[in-house]
Amino acid sequence: MSATQSRWSRVTVAVGVCALVVWQLAAVVGVPQRTAVALGLYGFVLHVVFGKAYALVPSYFDRDLAVRRAPLLSLPFTAVGAVGLAVAPFGWAPSLAGPTGAAAWAIGVTVVVATLAWTVRDNPTGSETGTGEHNADRQSLDRLANAFVPVVGLYLLVGTWATGAAALGLPGPLDGYPPRVTHLLAAGGAALLVFAVGFRLLPRFLVASVPRPLPWVVLPAGAIGPALLAVGLPAGPVFRAGALMEATAVIGFALAYAALLRATDRGRVGFYGPALGALAGVAGVALGVWFAFGTRSPSLVATHLRLNLLGLLGLTIAGVTFQFYPPTVGRFPGASDRTALVALGLLAGGLAVELAGTITATDAGVTTGRGLAVVGAVCYAYLVLGVFVHQART
């Protein structure tokens, strides 16, 4: 990886990390749900996903990034897009905030997806995996995981098209109902990539093997579920099928990671992130199934969103980030695994307290949980950004 590519990949991740802090602060203050989605999904999750995708996808397809400056080219557009979409729901926002944000987001995502597609153009299904001979036993799983990465790109493009169509008043693939777009990007664009990359990355981190049947269940279910959810929302048999399919994918991924944890003899703080994320994800999809077959309330819908965005995706991303950028490499106060564990614990504990507060209809519990998540997000950002500054100086 070139120095330019590596540097701007880190900057893209840094933007996502900062968006996490803003999102948690906004949750405490109280903002429109579309603002929360813009900060959490577009700002945090997808920026970190884009930053690491630039680094990981080419190597997993045994290629070099076709345009080394692509992270530099896409970041201004995706950052402006996330900000525009976040402020648009407020009454004081300029009328052009939403359309400008959607257009900028579309340009940025097009750069990301087009660059990665051009990079793997002669290896579109990922049959060439770059897997070394010492990992020959992982070859079949690596090929399976690679095959679903183009599906992620498709979800990102369709979700971005739907985002732009809703904001600009243009024809779109769906009717503009916001939860449809959220599920396309969060479940199809982010969670499916976490599953696909996770089945390559996590077994190597933990030096263990995933039970063979699980990836063959998780990846197809994770690829089909978001489409069914997007089409079927807010009710009906298609929505129920999508909820069950997505639940199957998340639960299967949780079981796969549990098997890895049981088999490994390594102990690193980053391993706790995906474990806590998987638990939050199981709770999140359980709520989703409840919505599909039962009733829902605005408070439970908001908690479902946070369990999946901050829990399943956020905690998993945080744990993996600590693997790529270990806090202990930094030379600044608090740069330690203990601080990283505190950050993960506060994020996960905050979600648990918030869920309990929602279930018991206790406003103080919800506020306390979100406050804990703010402190966890600040700790996480402090560690990651501190490591980035340290690396830039050395």
Side-chain angles (χ1 to χ4, degrees):
M1 185 190 302
S2 70
T4 298
Q5 178 186 341
S6 178
R7 179 170 60 254
W8 285 99
S9 175
R10 288 198 303 271
V11 173
T12 303
V13 172
V15 169
V17 170
C18 292
L20 171 64
V21 176
V22 176
W23 173 32
Q24 298 318 301
L25 289 169
V28 172
V29 174
V31 295
Q33 185 153 304
R34 297 317 302 166
T35 297
V37 170
L39 291 172
L41 177 57
Y42 296 76
F44 165 50
V45 170
L46 289 177
H47 271 92
V48 178
V49 163
F50 294 158
K52 295 313 300 178
Y54 277 130
L56 294 176
V57 171
S59 64
Y60 284 173
F61 282 67
D62 199 22
R63 298 294 185 269
D64 294 320
L65 190 68
V67 182
R68 294 182 178 181
R69 293 184 177 270
L72 169 60
L73 297 174
S74 63
L75 178 58
F77 292 103
T78 55
V80 169
V83 171
L85 293 169
V87 303
F90 291 99
W92 49 260
S95 59
L96 289 177
T100 301
W105 181 260
I107 294 171
V109 171
T110 299
V111 172
V112 175
V113 175
T115 299
L116 294 176
W118 186 250
T119 298
V120 304
R121 64 191 182 278
D122 56 348
N123 184 28
T125 63
S127 58
E128 296 177 44
T129 62
T131 304
E133 293 183 4
H134 60 290
N135 279 315
D137 58 315
R138 304 188 193 275
Q139 184 76 259
S140 60
L141 176 57
D142 291 348
R143 285 175 175 158
L144 174 67
N146 278 2
F148 285 87
V149 173
V151 182
V152 172
L154 181 61
Y155 271 118
L156 288 172
L157 291 175
V158 175
T160 296
W161 177 17
T163 299
L168 298 168
L170 300 174
L174 300 169
D175 60 6
Y177 182 48
R180 301 188 199 279
V181 183
T182 301
H183 282 84
L184 285 172
L185 291 173
L192 181 58
L193 186 64
V194 166
F195 299 154
V197 171
F199 279 132
R200 293 208 56 170
L201 199 63
L202 297 174
R204 287 168 168 82
F205 280 163
L206 282 81
V207 193
S209 297
V210 175
R212 285 189 176 276
L214 287 175
W216 290 91
V217 174
V218 171
L219 291 169
I224 297 170
L228 296 178
L229 288 170
V231 172
L233 278 161
V238 176
F239 175 45
R240 296 190 188 101
L244 291 173
M245 195 74 73
E246 195 64 25
T248 298
V250 172
I251 293 171
F253 187 74
L255 290 173
Y257 192 70
L260 289 174
L261 279 179
R262 184 177 180 181
T264 189
D265 58 359
R266 293 189 170 191
R268 296 180 181 175
V269 67
F271 295 170
Y272 292 106
L276 293 168
L279 290 175
V282 170
V285 295
L287 276 179
V289 172
W290 175 261
F291 297 157
F293 290 89
T295 58
R296 73 193 76 176
S297 67
S299 59
L300 281 177
V301 170
T303 302
H304 166 75
L305 178 69
R306 286 179 62 79
L307 283 169
N308 285 307
L309 282 185
L310 181 58
L312 173 62
L313 295 173
L315 284 166
T316 300
I317 286 171
V320 172
T321 303
F322 286 143
Q323 282 293 112
F324 283 115
Y325 313 110
T328 52
V329 306
R331 296 294 181 268
F332 53 91
S336 67
D337 284 344
R338 180 176 296 179
T339 309
L341 187 59
V342 168
L344 293 173
L346 287 168
L347 288 170
L351 273 175
V353 173
E354 180 181 345
L355 176 60
T358 302
I359 293 173
T360 60
T362 307
D363 290 343
V366 173
T367 302
T368 300
R370 292 183 176 182
L372 292 172
V374 169
V375 181
V378 170
C379 291
Y380 168 66
Y382 172 74
L383 290 173
V384 175
L385 297 179
V387 170
F388 286 173
V389 170
H390 172 78
Q391 290 178 335
R393 290 175 174 174
T394 57

